[in-house]
Amino acid sequence: MQDEDLGHSENRQDMIDEEAARWVVLLGGGTVRDADRRALQHWLDADPRHQAAFAEASGTWQELGEMGQAGQFGSIAQPVQKPSHHGTERPVRHIPVAARPARPGPSHRRGPVVLKHALALAACLVVAAAATFFWYGNPTVLLTADYVTAPGESRTIELSDGTIVDLGSDSALAVDFSDLERRVELLSGRAYFTAAPKAGPEVRPFVVASSIGTATAVGTQFSVDRIDEAVEVAVAEHSVSVGLNDGTKASVMLNEGQSVRYAPECGLGSVETKNMDQATAWRRGKIIFSDVPLSRVIAELNRYRRGRIVIVSDRLASLKVSGVFDTNDLPNALGRIVRELDLSMSSVPPLVTVIY
């Protein structure tokens, strides 16, 4: 009788874990409706085992996401278009992926049944994660972002405090306003912020977090550009305080026309002069390069296309490029680069890999 009860319990747990996996796949691999989020919250509240199963599945999904960032799932990344927010911020109840409630003790799940179930769950998530990375991008970003743009797409968002955000191509933004601060996080891509000032009843600072640092608006207009973990902050109007949260407490105050870069491997860089008209040309559908390495040009163009160009030659990557390119006409941009660098098409395939 005890064996029957144990078997029934294991079957029930298998069903719960499979349902949890389906929820994680839904959230990470497609358009998520408000009704889906409410249904998920109802399911999580119905049973503590549901919360534990969802936390475990989310943890597995997140670990697979880290594998994807290491290049094990290919290099194409096209984020999912989130449900329309009708131009305004709305409160979103995030399901914390990192919080993992304790699972039932080993006495409830033993032997080959556990191993079989674990392998099946892992296989389900591996397939789903691989497909999602190939077509949509990092599932961890998709699970936490409030606003997402696809390659070649941009959008303008008005947050609840009146801040205007121009979100660039292939970008993701999370909003986390509290009583103490108006914090947003740039998870990927780039954004231009026209921050609502601290005035009258609004006393909270406006903070943009990205990678290992933050930018706190002292004035109003500035841009934040992120490629992987490297971030550049540039100021168009008034001032912005940029600081690191990596334990060094390094910080700098940027004024109009200044920029600074930071990254985990090199910390906070030096302040530089920035041509803001050139730096924000993407808001006008243009990309401007002035004697920059081809590797940087290709990294920029990759933000606007579904496929990905990978340079496999250091010699080619270091060649310098100048020009103004239309983000809506990338084939012409690539053709111009080939002509400018005097590369015959027969010489390109051994040096460049194009992934669709």
Side-chain angles (χ1 to χ4, degrees), residues 121-277:
L121 176 61
C124 171
L125 290 175
V126 165
V127 171
T132 299
F133 257 95
F134 194 81
W135 293 110
Y136 301 114
N138 188 338
T140 304
V141 170
L142 297 175
L143 284 166
T144 55
D146 294 310
Y147 303 97
V148 180
T149 56
E153 177 194 13
S154 62
R155 62 186 300 194
T156 299
I157 305 156
E158 182 177 358
L159 304 183
S160 61
D161 67 330
T163 292
I164 303 298
V165 183
D166 292 331
L167 194 61
S169 172
D170 198 7
S171 303
L173 184 76
V175 180
D176 186 21
F177 282 14
S178 70
D179 293 337
L180 299 178
E181 63 180 6
R182 297 168 289 159
R183 175 178 287 256
V184 300
E185 181 176 2
L186 185 65
L187 302 168
S188 63
R190 57 159 59 108
Y192 186 92
F193 299 91
T194 303
K198 290 174 59 179
E202 182 57 80
V203 296
R204 299 169 299 172
F206 184 82
V207 180
V208 179
S210 192
S211 184
I212 63 167
T214 59
T216 303
V218 179
T220 53
Q221 298 188 36
F222 62 101
S223 65
V224 181
D225 193 346
R226 175 172 179 168
I227 298 181
D228 296 327
E229 293 301 303
V231 178
E232 180 182 59
V233 180
V235 179
E237 185 177 291
H238 298 305
S239 303
V240 171
S241 174
V242 179
L244 301 185
N245 52 22
D246 61 352
T248 64
K249 296 183 178 180
S251 64
V252 66
M253 181 68 74
L254 300 178
N255 297 316
E256 292 183 17
Q258 292 184 328
S259 69
V260 70
R261 291 174 178 262
Y262 63 81
E265 65 272 14
C266 59
L268 187 66
S270 58
V271 175
E272 299 181 354
T273 300
K274 192 72 172 180
N275 183 327
M276 291 304 297
D277 185 64

Side-chain angles (χ1 to χ4, degrees), residues 275-288:
N275 183 327
M276 291 304 297
D277 185 64
Q278 178 176 322
T280 61
W282 58 270
R283 299 174 66 205
R284 305 185 298 275
K286 304 293 182 181
I287 309 174
I288 302 175

